Structures are given as structure tokens and as C-alpha cells.
């Protein structure tokens, strides 16, 4: 399955923040890609007759979000770091899939890795200080089980 040409369309944001255009551009593309992935999964579910069940946020994601700093621009940078961890860990669930689903999800790995990198790149641009200590501090969260 391919990404539609319209997903590559640029968006122009007029803002005094030097990273605003990049943030909006990357997040809109991320939303479009994730929605495309959702529709791909939805098609597989319909083909298999699998019901759609509402899933709540994982304990892992909730734990990460509790660690977010409460003042800007650190809040936004921390949310991006959390997003990077969530994108990276989403691949852990692929190991327990049947061959057809595993093949499909492997096709998403490149996209997920790109999302991870985009989150961290934006966090670096937004944060007035080095994010490395906060990223390493996030390693404490990785000990929890992926829900």
C-alpha cells in the first residue's frame, strides 16, 4: 500500500517561533500517516471479521505523561520525547503476530522509526537546553511492560 501524493503537500505557517513551521509540517504529516495506517489496519480487521474494540491509553504512556514538565517550552519538548518513546516501543508488539500481520507491520517499521526521529529532532529545536539528560531520564520508564 502506498502513501497518497496529497500526504506530501506542504503547509505554510506564519509564526514568530523559528521551529513552528517544522513542528506543524511534521505533525500534520504524522497525523496523515497514522490515519492511513489506521485505515490499513481497519481493512485487515474487516477482511478477518475482527471486531473493533476501544482501547484505552496504556499504563506505559500514562506513566510517561506524568513526567512532563509543567512550563514551556519544556512541556512541549517533553511531550515530543514521550511521543518518540511511544513510537519506538510500538514495534515491540509486532513479535506476537501471525505471518501476514507481521509482514504488514514490518512495512510500517520505517515510518515508525522516522516518527521517532522527527519527535526527537523537534524536541531539540524547541528546547532551549540539551534534551539528552531528559531522554536518558526517560530510560527509567522503559522498564515497564508495554501495554
Amino acid at each position: 500500500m502506498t502513501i497518497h501524493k496529497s500526504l506530501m503537500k506542504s503547509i505554510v505557517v506564519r509564526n514568530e517561533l523559528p521551529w513552528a513551521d517544522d513542528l506543524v509540517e511534521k505533525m500534520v504529516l504524522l497525523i496523515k500517516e497514522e490515519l492511513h495506517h489506521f485505515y490499513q489496519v481497519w481493512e485487515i480487521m474487516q477482511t478477518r471479521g475482527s471486531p473493533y474494540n476501544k482501547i484505552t491509553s496504556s499504563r506505559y504512556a500514562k506513566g510517561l505523561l506524568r513526567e512532563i514538565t509543567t512550563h514551556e517550552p519544556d512541556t512541549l519538548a517533553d511531550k515530543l520525547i514521550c511521543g518518540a518513546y511511544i513510537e519506538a516501543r510500538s514495534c515491540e508488539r509486532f513479535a506476537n503476530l501471525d505471518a501476514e500481520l507481521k509482514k504488514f507491520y514490518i512495512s510500517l517499521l520505517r515510518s515508525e522509526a522516522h516518527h521517532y526521529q522527527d519527535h526527537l529532532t523537534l524536541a531539540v529545536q524547541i528546547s532551549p537546553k540539551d534534551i539528552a539528560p531528559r531522554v536518558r531520564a526517560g530510560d527509567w520508564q522503559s522498564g515497564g511492560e508495554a501495554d
Side-chain angles (χ1 to χ4, degrees):
M1 296 180 195
T2 60
I3 295 177
H4 299 286
K5 290 178 186 174
S6 64
L7 293 182
M8 300 302 175
K9 191 179 268 186
S10 292
I11 295 176
V12 177
V13 178
R14 302 286 183 240
N15 197 312
E16 68 279 357
L17 300 171
W19 43 262
D21 288 342
D22 202 26
L23 175 71
V24 171
E25 188 77 30
K26 285 181 174 151
M27 290 297 110
V28 168
L29 184 57
L30 173 102
I31 291 164
K32 289 178 177 182
E33 287 178 0
E34 294 293 355
L35 187 58
H36 180 70
H37 297 162
F38 175 82
Y39 281 122
Q40 289 175 303
V41 171
W42 180 246
E43 286 176 0
I44 292 169
M45 289 174 66
Q46 288 179 322
T47 301
R48 292 175 169 221
S50 299
Y52 176 84
N53 297 317
K54 181 182 176 191
I55 300 173
T56 59
S57 300
S58 70
R59 291 183 313 245
Y60 173 73
K62 287 178 184 174
L64 284 176
L65 295 174
R66 278 194 295 272
E67 300 301 320
I68 291 175
T69 307
T70 57
H71 55 279
E72 293 296 352
D74 291 339
T75 301
L76 181 53
D78 283 355
K79 286 179 180 180
L80 289 163
I81 292 167
C82 289
Y85 273 97
I86 291 167
E87 289 288 345
R89 289 201 68 201
S90 67
C91 303
E92 292 177 0
R93 296 184 177 106
F94 300 173
N96 299 323
L97 302 173
D98 65 49
E100 179 189 2
L101 286 178
K102 195 175 283 191
K103 182 179 177 185
F104 168 70
Y105 278 104
I106 286 173
S107 75
L108 300 180
L109 283 175
R110 185 173 171 201
S111 179
E112 298 301 318
H114 186 67
H115 296 163
Y116 165 82
Q117 191 58 51
D118 279 350
H119 279 77
L120 290 182
T121 299
L122 287 165
V124 167
Q125 290 173 357
I126 291 166
S127 182
K129 55 190 174 201
D130 182 16
I131 69 163
R134 294 197 325 249
V135 171
R136 279 193 293 277
D139 288 339
W140 45 251
Q141 295 286 354
S142 64
E145 188 174 314
D147 302 44

